[in-house]
Amino acid sequence: DAGITQSPRHKVTETGTPVTLRCHQTENHRYMYWYRQDPGHGLRLIHYSYGVKDTDKGEVSDGYSVSRSKTEDFLLTLESATSSQTSVYFCAISDRNQPQHFGDGTRLSIL
Amino acid sequence: DQQVKQNSPSLSVQEGRISILNCDYTNSMFDYFLWYKKYPAEGPTFLISISSIKDKNEDGRFTVFLNKSAKHLSLHIVPSQPGDSAVYFCAASAPGVTSYGKLTFGQGTILTVHP
């Protein structure tokens, strides 16, 4: 959908392990975003990127890091996963004056 | 501090009638508002948006109204169809170069349209 692929789509892992989620786009859009969705909170912005190697923190960035070494890929890393990071993670892309388009999400469970 | 609030967790309407979904915000810097629709196991899909220089925007069956003085926006769906059953999120953003497009979402409202 809108040229966005998130991988993996589902992952179960244990507390304390590192986890990396990948967002890949084929639209050549400048802006990329990572959100998490939790009941009662809607979607909350974790980190975003406004260009290659240009990233900034969002509302709930603690415990997460990101990297963007090329336009098409935006990686989200949980250095040491905790149970509170169990969530559904969405990647979004946009260009100037365009609404954000979302991938289909990654369901992450941390036991 | 929830800057965008959707106070109705759910809404149930009959097919053919009007659905009205509401959203309130507290940050007066917000100048662009969007509505997204989300089906289970899919990502949110953009529905309609409105800039703060307008008070109404219409696209087919969907109309968004913005009341800046009340910091309130609403989405009207007329007529409602069973396929409109989904979770609806309102979102808002503030201007700025590096903050461009950073969206703050409400909690969502589950709309159910009964045949």
Side-chain angles (χ1 to χ4, degrees):
Chain A
D1 198 355
I4 308 169
T5 304
Q6 290 188 233
S7 58
R9 291 296 314 279
H10 302 271
K11 186 173 182 66
V12 181
T13 190
E14 295 184 348
T15 301
T17 59
V19 177
T20 296
L21 308 183
R22 181 182 184 232
C23 179
H24 178 77
Q25 62 146 327
T26 57
E27 305 295 319
N28 201 36
H29 283 353
R30 177 181 176 185
Y31 302 93
M32 298 186 76
Y33 312 83
W34 277 107
Y35 292 88
R36 59 179 288 176
Q37 184 194 4
D38 303 291
H41 290 279
L43 284 84
R44 292 180 291 174
L45 182 65
I46 304 171
H47 281 281
Y48 66 103
S49 170
Y50 45 96
V52 173
K53 295 195 167 74
D54 290 323
T55 64
D56 206 348
K57 295 179 180 180
E59 179 187 354
V60 289
S61 59
D62 287 348
Y64 301 95
S65 62
V66 289
S67 66
R68 191 170 178 200
S69 59
K70 45 188 178 177
T71 300
E72 57 264 36
D73 288 325
F74 193 32
L75 304 180
L76 176 71
T77 298
L78 291 65
E79 301 290 348
S80 177
T82 68
S83 57
S84 65
Q85 293 176 311
T86 291
S87 188
V88 181
Y89 291 85
F90 289 99
C91 173
I93 65 173
S94 74
D95 245 344
R96 186 166 287 278
N97 297 325
Q98 291 184 4
Q100 291 178 29
H101 293 281
F102 286 79
D104 284 335
T106 294
R107 185 171 293 275
L108 178 62
S109 296
I110 300 163
L111 308 178
Chain B
D1 178 27
Q2 191 89 29
Q3 297 186 63
V4 178
K5 293 182 182 180
Q6 295 175 253
N7 292 315
S8 297
S10 63
L11 175 67
S12 181
V13 299
Q14 208 65 32
E15 181 178 7
R17 304 295 291 270
I18 184 172
S19 296
I20 300 176
L21 297 102
N22 294 303
C23 181
D24 297 296
Y25 62 96
T26 57
N27 187 342
S28 57
M29 295 300 292
F30 288 147
D31 68 344
Y32 185 60
F33 304 89
L34 309 89
W35 284 94
Y36 283 84
K37 173 180 176 180
K38 186 184 179 306
Y39 293 119
E42 295 183 9
T45 302
F46 170 71
L47 201 54
I48 192 169
S49 64
I50 187 166
S51 164
S52 60
I53 63 173
K54 295 185 174 182
D55 55 17
K56 176 182 173 182
N57 190 27
E58 193 171 353
D59 184 2
R61 296 186 296 114
F62 303 92
T63 303
V64 56
F65 295 92
L66 176 62
N67 182 333
K68 289 185 289 293
S69 61
K71 294 191 177 67
H72 177 85
L73 65 155
S74 61
L75 175 68
H76 292 212
I77 306 174
V78 183
S80 300
Q81 300 173 352
D84 295 330
S85 297
V87 180
Y88 288 78
F89 291 99
C90 69
S93 71
V97 175
T98 57
S99 67
Y100 180 80
K102 283 173 61 178
L103 296 179
T104 302
F105 281 83
Q107 308 96 309
T109 296
I110 301 170
L111 173 66
T112 304
V113 180
H114 299 282

